[in-house]
Amino acid sequence: ICVMDHGEVVQVGQPEEVYYRPCNRYVADFFGDNNLVDAQVNAVDRDGVAVETPFGKAVARGDQGMQFNAGDTVMLAVRPENVELLGANGSAPAAHVKSVSFVGPLSLVEVESAKSPGATLHVKQLSSQLAAPLEIGAGVTVSWKGQETWVIRK
């Protein structure tokens, strides 16, 4: 697949590569739903890029050719189907439920960061995997796997 923006080639690759590892915000927005989460780089090592987000600490992958340094402001591309909602388990919740839509086998949930109002995530989760029906305003923690998260320059 070749993705072009105003006549310029911005990314060429296999469909899976372009979908899961977009080179920039334009490509991330072009293919399906994507959460674009602001983050600050804490550290970089062979396991990935450690970042701080409005939803807490996370680890993500980045293009081998890109150099990231502690303090860099970046963006994470996290697909809604790769975000998992967990109960707050007595700790301070990372987010609060803004909306829930039951659409049969899937539930579409929007959550807002507890520490950065306005920062939201869209979540597509199997309805059968929700521990209990989610209430608007309920506190939750969010999680995603580093290998399913891609760092792009802001």
Side-chain angles (χ1 to χ4, degrees):
I1 292 177
C2 175
V3 180
M4 298 180 76
D5 183 14
H6 295 91
E8 298 289 324
V9 173
V10 291
Q11 186 169 359
V12 177
Q14 294 297 317
E16 295 83 2
E17 175 187 349
V18 175
Y19 183 81
Y20 289 113
R21 295 186 301 277
C23 68
N24 61 26
R25 182 185 188 117
Y26 177 80
V27 176
D29 280 336
F30 189 80
F31 282 101
D33 298 330
N34 219 330
N35 290 298
L36 297 172
V37 180
D38 290 333
Q40 184 169 17
V41 175
N42 289 334
V44 180
D45 62 25
R46 68 178 183 273
D47 295 327
V49 181
V51 297
E52 181 70 36
T53 78
F55 302 93
K57 295 182 185 305
V59 175
R61 297 181 307 140
D63 187 339
Q64 297 291 341
M66 285 190 165
Q67 296 296 317
F68 297 102
N69 299 301
D72 286 353
T73 300
V74 296
M75 192 174 295
L76 304 183
V78 186
R79 296 284 175 182
E81 63 270 20
N82 293 333
V83 179
E84 184 178 3
L85 297 178
L86 308 165
N89 296 329
S91 62
H96 298 284
V97 176
K98 281 188 71 172
S99 67
V100 181
S101 298
F102 174 79
V103 288
L106 286 178
S107 286
L108 308 176
V109 183
E110 181 181 20
V111 298
E112 182 174 42
S113 169
K115 71 177 186 179
S116 298
T120 61
L121 284 174
H122 292 94
V123 182
K124 291 181 184 176
Q125 195 161 343
L126 289 174
S127 297
S128 62
Q129 291 182 345
L130 291 175
L134 292 172
E135 301 287 330
I136 303 300
V140 294
T141 58
V142 295
S143 174
W144 57 77
K145 295 179 182 144
Q147 68 264 27
E148 296 170 341
T149 308
W150 195 248
V151 181
I152 54 179
R153 293 231 178 262
K154 195 163 178 179

